[in-house]
Amino acid sequence: MSSKPSLACRHPKVIMIFDNEDDILGAASIIAEQVEDYRTLSASVDIGEKIKELKPSVILFALATVEKSIELYTKVITDKNLDYPHQSILLCKNRESGVAFRCCIKGLFDNYFVYQPLYEKFRLKMIVHNGLLISQTTEQYIGYQEEQLENVDKDLAQLIDDGGACKQSLLNSIDRCKKNLNESNEAMIENEVDTKQDSKQLIDRINKQHIEPLLAELECNIKITLDNMINQLIAKQGGLTDLKEQTSLKNKVQVPEQAKIIEALAVAPAQQTSHNDAIEQTELKKILVVEDNLLYRNMLVNILEKEQFNVDAADDGLHALKKIKQNNYSLVLMDLFMPNLDGINATKQIKSASGRKKLPIIALTGNKNKELIKTWAEQGLKGYILKPSSKSEILEAVHRIIN
């Protein structure tokens, strides 16, 4: 699979239309991993002619606003540049998800996906996958192979396979039932003149010859499959309980382990440099991004690097403490909920460390709990960026502190 979006694929099955390349980097790279016949196109004046020439099966609209995507899609259809069966997918910011949902319910777009912020990588892949299946024949799009899927526990993989087989068995049995009933109806019509059977006898015969055997087979198949699935679920129950507890802990601001903090701060004196001295010695602005979500972290790093900042990254508070002790940063962007050490406690430790009291920290958070934000602000925040956020909002907050 390609690792980058293809800008020169001659006959793409999937295209993404955008008006700001920075906004689509994360979503574009995800689709490029999935579909080789993929291309990104800028929403230029001749986009309609390009669509008419390429005839893609799946079109993703990733313009700055939902309104702009609606206007472009409507224009392309009105101009008869999109007059063949296709799947249209609307990409939107989280704050416009309600409008996007309405667009799909009303039948304008076939599906929508929130790509800012970009959290559900596999849901985007699923939407594109389904779009290709619907709009193309099986011979044209073979879908995912086993080796392309995310590795999971062997028992869980078997549970998924059994569940899929159970559903398919149900659908096949229903299809056979419909087919046999149709054949019975045709036979009834053909023999309607000659038959002398009354309605009750006819119904009894249909039940015994067609419906009862099919229902018995269906019940047996479902029972066997479900029994196997239930046994596997029981075996998994302990593991799922542990997972639930871990998830609950992750979404709480936890008291940090003092030993780990001491270890993170225990850096050789030779590596420590006064933060204020370092800022005076160099004009290069170095920023640390502390975020446990890989996609959002990469997006922030990319945006800042394009603005000529020297950017470093950490995936949790403990990792951030180690980097701050070893480097001199002009600014830190800090997420709230992270494993090992959350944003509030990491900020507290940074501010209490020698030479780091004036290091500016901007909060990254989608949490609207005012008390929690107030508690964090009391530790010495210089500002905050509310998720989801646009490139301009991020840079405005950064430049306000840096400058």
Side-chain angles (χ1 to χ4, degrees):
M1 288 289 182
S2 303
S3 58
K4 296 180 179 178
S6 172
L7 297 174
C9 183
R10 298 189 58 164
H11 303 289
K13 294 177 183 176
V14 180
I15 67 168
M16 181 185 293
I17 302 173
F18 66 92
D19 54 8
N20 186 342
E21 188 175 5
D22 289 332
D23 289 344
I24 66 162
L25 290 175
S29 62
I30 289 170
I31 299 171
E33 293 173 0
Q34 174 183 8
V35 184
E36 290 184 346
D37 303 330
Y38 166 63
R39 185 172 176 182
T40 56
L41 295 174
S42 175
S44 55
V45 291
D46 61 342
I47 187 64
E49 293 298 325
K50 289 180 180 178
I51 292 174
K52 188 174 183 179
E53 176 189 351
L54 298 172
K55 292 191 179 302
S57 302
V58 177
I59 306 173
L60 298 101
F61 291 83
L63 275 64
T65 65
V66 168
E67 184 177 357
K68 285 186 176 181
S69 293
I70 293 172
E71 290 174 352
L72 178 60
Y73 189 32
T74 304
K75 185 179 187 307
V76 171
I77 293 174
T78 304
D79 293 344
K80 297 183 179 180
N81 289 316
L82 196 52
D83 56 358
Y84 61 90
H86 63 278
Q87 286 286 298
S88 58
I89 300 169
L90 174 61
L91 302 189
C92 69
K93 297 179 176 66
N94 186 56
R95 60 175 173 264
E96 291 193 291
S97 58
V99 182
F101 176 74
R102 182 183 180 87
C103 289
C104 295
I105 291 296
K106 294 294 184 179
L108 176 57
F109 291 94
D110 295 299
N111 213 327
Y112 81 94
F113 177 76
V114 175
Y115 77 118
Q116 288 188 10
L118 180 54
Y119 289 130
E120 298 184 86
K121 164 183 175 180
F122 292 105
R123 183 173 178 271
L124 177 58
K125 288 190 173 188
M126 190 74 249
I127 290 172
V128 173
H129 169 79
N130 285 338
L132 287 168
L133 287 178
I134 293 168
S135 59
Q136 300 194 48
T137 65
T138 305
E139 290 75 17
Q140 289 174 303
Y141 178 63
I142 60 174
Y144 279 99
Q145 304 304 302
E146 185 68 30
E147 61 272 13
Q148 294 174 280
L149 300 176
E150 192 84 354
N151 289 329
V152 297
D153 177 82
K154 183 179 179 182
D155 292 337
L156 180 57
Q158 187 61 49
L159 182 64
I160 294 169
D161 291 342
D162 289 346
C166 179
K167 177 182 176 181
Q168 194 58 50
S169 174
L170 172 62
L171 295 175
N172 292 340
S173 297
I174 291 171
D175 286 340
R176 287 199 300 274
C177 185
K178 288 179 179 178
K179 182 179 178 181
N180 280 302
L181 286 175
N182 288 334
E183 290 175 354
S184 298
N185 287 333
E186 291 172 2
M188 285 171 58
I189 293 170
E190 291 175 3
N191 299 325
E192 186 176 4
V193 178
D194 299 330
T195 184
K196 294 182 180 180
Q197 295 177 325
D198 60 28
S199 298
K200 187 176 183 304
Q201 289 176 322
L202 190 58
I203 292 171
D204 288 343
R205 183 164 63 85
I206 292 173
N207 278 334
K208 289 181 180 179
Q209 292 183 1
H210 300 287
I211 297 177
E212 289 179 4
L214 282 170
L215 289 176
E217 178 191 354
L218 182 60
E219 182 181 9
C220 180
N221 288 341
I222 292 176
K223 186 177 184 302
I224 292 171
T225 309
L226 286 180
D227 283 345
N228 290 335
M229 291 171 67
I230 289 169
N231 288 334
Q232 291 183 52
L233 282 172
I234 291 172
K236 280 280 177 186
Q237 189 173 10
L240 290 172
T241 302
D242 292 342
L243 180 61
K244 185 178 179 180
E245 290 175 355
Q246 291 171 17
T247 303
S248 176
L249 286 171
K250 186 180 183 299
N251 289 320
K252 293 180 181 177
V253 175
Q254 303 169 38
V255 178
E257 293 183 31
Q258 199 64 28
K260 289 185 177 180
I261 293 174
I262 293 171
E263 180 185 351
L265 295 173
V267 182
Q271 294 178 296
Q272 301 180 27
T273 307
S274 168
H275 173 71
N276 294 330
D277 291 345
I279 295 299
E280 292 174 359
Q281 291 170 5
T282 176
E283 294 183 358
L284 184 63
K285 305 298 185 182
K286 191 171 185 180
I287 298 176
L288 175 63
V289 175
V290 190
E291 166 66 63
D292 63 331
N293 182 283
L294 177 61
L295 289 172
Y296 195 68
R297 185 169 72 241
N298 287 346
M299 182 198 76
L300 288 168
V301 169
N302 184 272
I303 288 173
L304 294 171
E305 284 182 341
K306 285 195 173 185
E307 292 293 308
Q308 305 305 311
F309 289 114
N310 185 356
V311 188
D312 208 349
D315 56 8
D316 62 48
L318 278 179
H319 192 193
L321 288 182
K322 292 177 182 178
K323 284 185 170 291
I324 289 169
K325 205 65 180 176
Q326 297 172 5
N327 297 274
N328 293 289
Y329 297 106
S330 303
L331 176 66
V332 176
L333 303 184
M334 180 84 70
D335 188 24
L336 174 55
F337 294 120
M338 296 180 292
N340 298 321
L341 189 64
D342 59 80
I344 292 177
N345 283 295
T347 301
K348 186 176 180 180
Q349 293 299 324
I350 291 168
K351 293 298 183 179
S352 65
S354 176
R356 298 295 187 268
K357 291 181 180 179
K358 294 185 179 180
L359 174 59
I361 298 175
I362 295 178
L364 300 171
T365 179
N367 192 298
K368 296 182 180 179
N369 185 320
K370 292 182 180 179
E371 289 302 316
L372 195 60
I373 300 300
K374 182 180 177 182
T375 301
W376 196 0
E378 289 171 353
Q379 302 303 322
L381 291 179
K382 285 292 186 180
Y384 70 92
I385 297 172
L386 189 63
K387 300 177 185 177
S389 48
S390 65
K391 175 184 176 182
S392 59
E393 291 168 340
I394 293 166
L395 291 177
E396 181 183 352
V398 169
H399 284 300
R400 186 167 62 246
I401 304 302
I402 288 288
N403 296 330

